[in-house]
Amino acid sequence: MKKTSIFIMLLVCAYASSQNINDVLRFANEELQGTPRYQAMGGAFGALGGDLSALNNNPAGSAIFNHGVFTVTGTNYNRDNTANYFGSNRNVNFNEVDLNQIGGVLVFNNNDDTSDWNRIAVAFNYDLVQNFENRLSVEGRSNQGIDSYFLAFADGLPLGNILLREGEFLEDAYLDIGAQQGFADQQAFLGYFGGVIDPAAMEDDNTVYNRNASYSEVNQQFQRRTNGYNGKYTFNLGAQYRESISFGASINVHSVFYDQLDIFTEDGYDTDSEIQFTTFDNYLRTEGSGFSFSLGSIIKLNETVRIGASYQSPTWYRLTDDFSQRINSDLADDDIQFINFDVVNLFETYTLKTPGKLMGSMALIFGKHGLLSVDYGYQDMSQARLRPSDDPNFAVVNSDIASQLTGVSSVRVGGEYRIQRFSLRGGYRFEQSPYENGDLIGDLTGFSGGIGYDFGGSRLDLAVNRTEQEVGLQLFDVGVTTPAMIDRVNTNVSIGYTYHF
């Protein structure tokens, strides 16, 4: 009787289709989210404080509050992805609503006139710093068939390494090969029993393989659906000295969940091709947690000018992956359907360290009429690391990170103008590509705006935040490597309520 659900712990931590540079960048970046006021002003709050999401920039911002505050924010996320692949364009647009921020601060003012310390503030805030909900679709006529992917793993591999043992089920062999021989042998096994490739000779020591498909170009359809979040819980302590210098420190705890479903279909082969269709799907799930800390200060030079500086430590993530695949074609083994998403490769926990970040800020305060603020941040992405570093697969990825990634400068500009109880806000954001050559990921630019109304003891805020970035997506890490260029436009509309006490 066939098994429909098999789980096995692999002895290696990394595998070719999971951890790579783009997967590292997924957790190293934080989106511009948070309260509507924070988003509307482009997140330029490093020298301002006085907003719960500003703790992401500078933990000294809690000491700017004069009294207790509670804020909650909900956001509608609009994702608009246009993919160009070999001259063909596909667009996917979808919306999702989520609660992305909630937090509060308690302020303890010092009534002792002889003390130089004015207040202490204790804050807690939750920000959804990354929302992984996304959909994209790629379609085009390519000269790189999926057989190139499997041949890249199979060439040079003895056929005997991927054959079934006597009485062995197909799904058992798939898992055993992955656990004992590694990811490359496992993919060659899929290509063979999936009917995509065949050995040149049916001998155990054969190391040459041929494609079963005949084509000059093939139709390819690829869909990627991602879900999940990176939520950051911030525990903060701030203090103000002589009304001119504020200090702060935060401990941040991350909760991570990410799943990715890739659905790939290929057809349009030559009419005399043995294969007329191939499907190959992959499912990845990542779960884990992270820890970081931050330190900062804000100095009030005079009634108009404030400057700020902060350090955000690396984030240390502990992550666990599980991975499933399925394949089919005209020539696939009759039992190939037993290798499906119920047959799961489990991997040992690994560690990802994202680079720390330095930020300098300046703000101009024009009394009760408004303000202007600028933040500059620097983060060296080439310092990201996967561990254990003695794992040979991680060593390859870490070498790629060090050679291909670079320092990232970011600039945020924000302003606010007050008209009685109304506040009008605007912001701009720019972030360099983390890649040395900028081909796979382009620079990010963003514009934002918003409005707020002060009821006296509370405030209602609305923000619209739009970013645009061009991203190159390789459908597979090897073989099918010509990237689809994704024009990614994210538009967030947020509404938040703040209560003063």
Side-chain angles (χ1 to χ4, degrees), residues 361-378:
S361 310
M362 182 177 180
L364 303 177
I365 312 297
F366 306 110
K368 296 182 178 181
H369 299 292
L371 56 88
L372 289 173
S373 181
V374 178
D375 289 354
Y376 171 79
Y378 181 82

Side-chain angles (χ1 to χ4, degrees), residues 186-439:
Q186 189 182 55
Q187 299 312 289
F189 171 89
L190 279 182
Y192 174 52
F193 284 95
V196 181
I197 60 174
D198 269 332
M202 288 301 300
E203 301 173 357
D204 285 357
D205 60 354
N206 172 83
T207 58
V208 178
Y209 297 82
N210 301 316
R211 58 173 51 94
N212 287 328
S214 174
Y215 63 89
S216 57
E217 291 183 331
V218 289
N219 297 324
Q220 293 176 339
Q221 300 87 35
F222 177 89
Q223 295 181 41
R224 172 166 290 177
R225 305 170 187 172
T226 60
N227 301 282
Y229 57 85
N230 183 348
K232 182 163 74 172
Y233 301 85
T234 297
F235 304 87
N236 171 270
L237 178 66
Q240 189 178 78
Y241 181 77
R242 290 188 174 181
E243 298 186 353
S244 59
I245 304 177
S246 298
F247 304 94
S250 294
I251 293 175
N252 309 300
V253 178
H254 293 252
S255 176
V256 172
F257 172 77
Y258 176 81
D259 72 22
Q260 174 182 298
L261 172 62
D262 290 346
I263 299 175
F264 177 84
T265 302
E266 185 175 273
D267 57 20
Y269 304 108
D270 293 344
T271 56
D272 58 351
S273 173
E274 293 184 82
I275 286 184
Q276 288 300 313
F277 84 93
T278 305
T279 63
F280 182 44
D281 305 331
N282 292 266
Y283 177 74
L284 169 68
R285 172 172 291 196
T286 301
E287 295 182 82
S289 60
F291 169 82
S292 66
F293 66 88
S294 55
L295 305 169
S297 65
I298 297 175
I299 300 175
K300 181 180 178 182
L301 299 180
N302 52 49
E303 293 301 316
T304 302
V305 182
R306 293 181 188 175
I307 58 174
S310 65
Y311 167 72
Q312 299 175 36
S313 78
T315 302
W316 294 272
Y317 289 102
R318 285 180 58 83
L319 303 171
T320 303
D321 291 351
D322 62 67
F323 181 63
S324 307
Q325 297 178 289
R326 62 189 182 194
I327 189 171
N328 201 8
S329 76
D330 304 76
L331 300 180
D333 188 278
D334 291 340
D335 290 336
I336 199 68
Q337 72 272 15
F338 289 103
I339 298 177
N340 54 42
F341 291 161
D342 291 327
V343 179
V344 182
N345 300 286
L346 299 180
F347 294 82
E348 293 181 357
T349 299
Y350 62 97
T351 300
L352 166 63
K353 187 192 82 169
T354 66
K357 186 175 184 178
L358 293 170
M359 181 173 287
S361 310
M362 182 177 180
L364 303 177
I365 312 297
F366 306 110
K368 296 182 178 181
H369 299 292
L371 56 88
L372 289 173
S373 181
V374 178
D375 289 354
Y376 171 79
Y378 181 82
Q379 187 175 26
D380 188 355
M381 290 298 182
S382 68
Q383 298 301 309
R385 291 293 181 270
L386 287 164
R387 294 174 180 168
S389 56
D390 58 355
D391 184 285
N393 295 298
F394 284 163
V396 172
V397 179
N398 288 336
S399 177
D400 291 340
I401 290 171
S403 62
Q404 297 182 35
L405 299 187
T406 186
V408 174
S409 292
S410 60
V411 177
R412 298 178 177 186
V413 181
E416 182 177 57
Y417 181 68
R418 303 187 185 102
I419 307 172
Q420 296 180 350
R421 291 183 178 271
F422 287 95
S423 296
L424 304 179
R425 303 166 184 135
Y428 169 77
R429 177 189 177 199
F430 172 81
E431 187 173 294
Q432 286 181 315
S433 167
Y435 277 91
E436 187 77 44
N437 59 18
D439 289 341

Side-chain angles (χ1 to χ4, degrees), residues 17-30:
S17 76
S18 178
Q19 292 89 17
N20 56 39
I21 292 181
N22 288 329
D23 295 301
V24 170
L25 291 174
R26 177 186 306 125
F27 299 108
N29 293 319
E30 293 189 359

Side-chain angles (χ1 to χ4, degrees), residues 71-145:
T71 301
V72 60
T73 304
T75 297
N76 179 80
Y77 299 90
N78 176 266
R79 309 301 200 200
D80 190 295
N81 296 303
T82 301
N84 183 284
Y85 187 58
F86 288 96
S88 297
N89 290 321
R90 288 294 300 272
N91 176 265
V92 176
N93 187 298
F94 82 103
N95 292 275
E96 190 225 5
V97 177
D98 205 347
L99 179 72
N100 68 288
Q101 181 276 326
I102 185 169
V105 59
L106 297 175
V107 178
F108 303 93
N109 291 303
N110 189 357
N111 296 321
D112 184 357
D113 295 335
T114 64
S115 174
D116 290 328
W117 293 95
N118 299 324
R119 68 174 65 100
I120 294 176
V122 178
F124 167 79
N125 189 55
Y126 169 79
D127 267 339
L128 185 67
V129 296
Q130 291 169 300
N131 183 341
F132 296 130
E133 303 288 333
N134 208 352
R135 307 286 184 272
L136 61 87
S137 180
V138 175
E139 184 172 343
R141 191 157 177 83
S142 169
N143 58 7
Q144 299 171 338

